[in-house]
């Protein structure tokens, strides 16, 4: 039986596309992206999913209380029997209700080496801080912002001539690579979580 992935996004959708490419190419074996949900109307990621023939749903979050909104999303994910949820540029914190509905089955990609630079504009934060290395993190999701046990990270150098755009592009390339790898590890089930540590098992 194929494992079903649900992707949640709010915008561009390049990480979603990287996952979809990896599924199509067999880099994430025995899996299917069952659906893409956006909390924002007009998210480019939704058009990208539609053009690949992947089921989409826009569930507008504006004006809704966090848990009331999450109950709608969780109901749709259950309805489609989703095994793993991938947040891919999803600009919302999840409620404890959502997290409890999918224990250790929600991943997020963040464009920094967590726990440095959580939140918005991480690449700009990294440049302004003056770090010499930046990167990205795939982690399990809990109800806190950009927290939860880390599955994979990748490091990129920060160059003197970097702008927010050039650094973001270098990081994004690594995001696309490690998100697929992390999804494969988690769907394989070849890991255990000890405290904050995600350890590989074989
Ligand atoms: C990525 O940088 C991701 O790490 C962050 O939001 C951005 C989403 O980009 N959480 P995209 O929509 O996947 O292109």
């Amino acid at each position: 039986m194929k494992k079903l992935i649900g992707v949640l996004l709010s915008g561009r959708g390049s990480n979603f596309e990287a996952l979809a490419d990896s599924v199509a190419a067999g880099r994430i074996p025995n899996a299917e992206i069952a659906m893409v949900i956006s909390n924002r109307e007009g998210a480019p990621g939704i058009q990208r999913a539609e053009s690949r023939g992947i089921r989409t749903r826009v569930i507008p979050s504006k004006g809704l209380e966090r848990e009331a909104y999450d109950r709608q999303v969780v109901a749709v994910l259950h309805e489609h029997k989703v095994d793993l949820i991938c947040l891919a540029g999803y600009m919302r914190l999840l409620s404890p209700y959502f997290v409890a509905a999918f224990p250790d089955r929600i991943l997020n990609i963040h464009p920094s080496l967590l726990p440095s630079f959580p939140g918005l504009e991480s690449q700009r934060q990294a440049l302004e801080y003056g770090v010499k290395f930046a990167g990205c993190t795939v982690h399990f999701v809990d109800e806190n912002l950009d927290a939860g046990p880390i599955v994979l990270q990748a490091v990129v150098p920060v160059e003197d001539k970097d702008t927010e755009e050039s650094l973001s592009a270098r990081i994004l390339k690594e995001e696309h690579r490690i998100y697929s790898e992390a999804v494969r590890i988690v769907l394989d089930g070849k890991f255990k979580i000890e405290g904050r540590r995600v350890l590989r098992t074989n």
Side-chain angles (χ1 to χ4, degrees):
M1 268 268 277
K2 283 190 172 174
K3 294 280 175 68
L4 300 182
I5 300 170
V7 175
L8 269 54
L9 52 75
S10 306
R12 184 174 59 180
S14 75
N15 276 288
F16 150 67
E17 290 223 279
L19 292 175
D21 285 344
S22 292
V23 168
R27 288 189 296 274
I28 303 175
N30 301 319
E32 182 185 329
I33 298 185
M35 67 180 325
V36 175
I37 298 176
S38 170
N39 68 313
R40 286 194 187 148
E41 316 228 19
I46 286 292
Q47 283 125 45
R48 289 177 170 208
E50 275 166 4
S51 67
R52 287 171 178 262
I54 295 175
R55 191 184 293 117
T56 62
R57 187 78 74 89
V58 177
I59 309 177
S61 55
K62 221 172 174 184
L64 281 181
E65 185 268 327
R66 189 176 307 285
E67 183 173 319
Y69 179 72
D70 282 357
R71 282 182 183 272
Q72 293 184 27
V73 176
V74 167
V76 172
L77 293 167
H78 277 151
E79 185 189 320
H80 291 90
K81 303 197 173 355
V82 163
D83 297 294
L84 179 72
I85 295 151
C86 293
L87 309 186
Y90 185 62
M91 304 302 282
R92 287 179 62 80
L93 268 181
L94 302 191
S95 61
Y97 171 82
F98 195 145
V99 174
F102 293 94
D104 300 337
R105 288 192 291 145
I106 312 172
L107 293 175
N108 182 43
I109 178 90
H110 182 75
S112 79
L113 293 172
L114 290 171
S116 291
F117 314 126
L120 295 175
E121 300 184 331
S122 307
Q123 303 93 333
R124 191 160 65 80
Q125 292 186 55
L127 273 182
E128 283 176 359
Y129 197 91
V131 294
K132 299 299 184 191
F133 290 93
C136 50
T137 303
V138 180
H139 63 91
F140 285 103
V141 172
D142 60 21
E143 53 270 25
N144 300 310
L145 179 65
D146 300 326
I150 292 171
V151 183
L152 287 177
Q153 292 186 303
V155 178
V156 304
V158 179
E159 293 168 9
D160 288 354
K161 62 179 188 316
D162 266 332
T163 60
E164 194 179 337
E165 290 68 35
S166 64
L167 179 60
S168 299
R170 192 175 306 122
I171 293 172
L172 191 63
K173 209 169 155 214
E174 291 302 296
E175 292 185 35
H176 295 165
R177 183 177 66 76
I178 68 168
Y179 210 175
S180 295
E181 206 181 320
V183 167
R184 184 180 53 75
I185 291 167
V186 170
L187 285 182
D188 268 0
K190 291 184 178 154
F191 69 96
K192 59 181 176 179
I193 304 177
E194 283 183 4
R196 285 203 48 88
R197 301 183 73 197
V198 180
L199 305 174
R200 305 284 291 274
T201 57
N202 261 315

